[in-house]
């Protein structure tokens, strides 16, 4: 009888240890599944009070300031975002002392695609003195094109205004642009001078 008690205790201990092993193994599998499904969409780098200067062969082409910039590098389409706004000055070799300017409440850059977007009270001033105002704008650097479907308000350096009610497309240096469904108030003196 003592012998049978020993066997039953051993069997119970063996069954109990097997149960613990299977519980731990199944928990471990669940943890790996859960970790595999976790989002990788979190910033790998955060820059506070960013002050960025971009150069090309020693020439400053861009200066950017933002309260915070976050880099998302661990995902399939990495990007950089400025959620609290951005202020950019861009420089042209033809007029290196007069920068163009862009301000927006939000900006996102897809570095590999060379695609940029700015949203929220977007203001652009060219180095020629033209001022553009819209709610969003997109820049496809590969195609050298800027576009928006928002209403665009343009003030020329002579004070004349133009409204593109259905957006615009432009070369990224603003040397050419097309407005859709436009209207405006042009300086009649300047038009008559151009006719002569």
């Amino acid at each position: 009888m003592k012998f049978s008690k020993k066997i039953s205790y051993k069997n119970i201990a063996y069954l109990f240890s097997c149960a613990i092993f299977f519980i731990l193994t199944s928990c471990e599998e669940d943890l790996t599944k859960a970790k595999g499904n976790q989002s990788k969409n979190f910033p790998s780098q955060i820059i506070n009070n960013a002050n960025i200067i971009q150069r090309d062969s020693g020439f400053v082409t861009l200066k950017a300031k933002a309260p915070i910039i976050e880099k998302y590098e661990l995902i399939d389409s990495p990007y950089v975002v400025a959620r609290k706004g951005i202020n950019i000055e861009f420089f042209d070799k033809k007029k290196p002392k007069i920068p163009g300017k862009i301000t927006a409440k939000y900006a996102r850059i897809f570095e590999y695609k060379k695609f940029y977007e700015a949203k929220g009270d977007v203001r652009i001033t060219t180095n020629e003195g033209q001022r553009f105002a819209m709610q969003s704008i997109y820049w496809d650097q590969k195609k050298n094109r800027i576009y928006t479907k928002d209403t665009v308000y343009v003030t020329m350096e002579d004070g004349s205004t133009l409204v593109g009610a259905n957006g615009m497309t432009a070369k990224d240096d603003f040397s050419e642009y097309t407005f859709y469904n436009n209207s405006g108030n042009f300086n009649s003196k300047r038009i008559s001078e151009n006719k002569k």
Side-chain angles (χ1 to χ4, degrees):
M1 203 155 206
K2 287 182 183 179
F3 181 69
S4 64
K5 282 184 185 178
K6 285 182 184 176
I7 292 173
S8 63
Y9 287 131
K10 284 182 182 179
N11 288 343
I12 292 171
Y14 175 74
L15 290 174
F16 186 68
S17 62
C18 286
I20 290 174
F21 172 76
F22 286 116
I23 290 171
L24 289 176
T25 306
S26 64
C27 288
E28 193 174 300
E29 285 175 11
D30 289 343
L31 286 174
T32 43
K33 285 179 187 175
K35 285 180 183 176
N37 292 336
Q38 281 180 352
S39 173
K40 295 178 182 175
N41 195 8
F42 58 87
S44 56
Q45 292 182 35
I46 298 173
I47 304 168
N48 289 306
N49 299 317
N51 190 2
I52 298 165
I53 297 173
Q54 183 178 333
R55 297 175 195 269
D56 181 13
S57 302
F59 176 74
V60 174
T61 56
L62 182 137
K63 290 181 181 179
K65 291 183 180 181
I68 186 167
I69 291 180
E70 300 170 333
K71 287 186 92 172
Y72 290 79
E73 299 173 296
L74 305 175
I75 55 176
D76 292 337
S77 295
Y79 63 92
V80 176
V81 67
R83 295 184 197 282
K84 294 188 177 181
I86 196 161
N87 186 338
I88 299 171
E89 289 184 336
F90 52 94
F91 297 85
D92 185 357
K93 289 183 180 179
K94 294 174 188 172
K95 289 189 171 184
K97 293 186 179 180
I98 304 170
K101 297 177 184 174
I102 299 174
T103 59
K105 289 184 176 178
Y106 172 91
R108 186 162 56 161
I109 302 161
F110 294 92
E111 292 177 330
Y112 295 123
K113 295 178 184 177
K114 296 197 178 289
F115 188 83
Y116 304 78
E117 66 181 37
K119 295 181 179 180
D121 292 331
V122 179
R123 300 292 181 264
I124 300 172
T125 305
T126 68
N127 59 3
E128 299 290 333
Q130 300 162 324
R131 295 187 309 274
F132 296 78
M134 71 242 14
Q135 283 304 308
S136 67
I137 196 157
Y138 303 91
W139 176 28
D140 188 335
Q141 191 177 12
K142 287 181 180 177
K143 295 180 181 177
N144 297 322
R145 301 301 292 175
I146 290 176
Y147 61 91
T148 184
K149 291 184 179 180
D150 294 339
T151 301
V152 180
Y153 301 92
V154 184
T155 305
M156 302 299 185
E157 55 188 79
D158 66 355
S160 59
T161 59
L162 180 67
V163 178
N166 293 331
M168 74 166 196
T169 60
K171 276 191 169 181
D172 57 5
D173 63 357
F174 288 96
S175 60
E176 293 177 15
Y177 38 82
T178 304
F179 294 95
Y180 302 102
N181 193 15
N182 55 10
S183 61
N185 171 19
F186 296 95
N187 185 334
S188 58
K189 182 180 175 188
R190 187 166 179 180
I191 292 170
S192 63
E193 284 175 1
N194 289 342
K195 288 181 181 177
K196 292 179 184 178

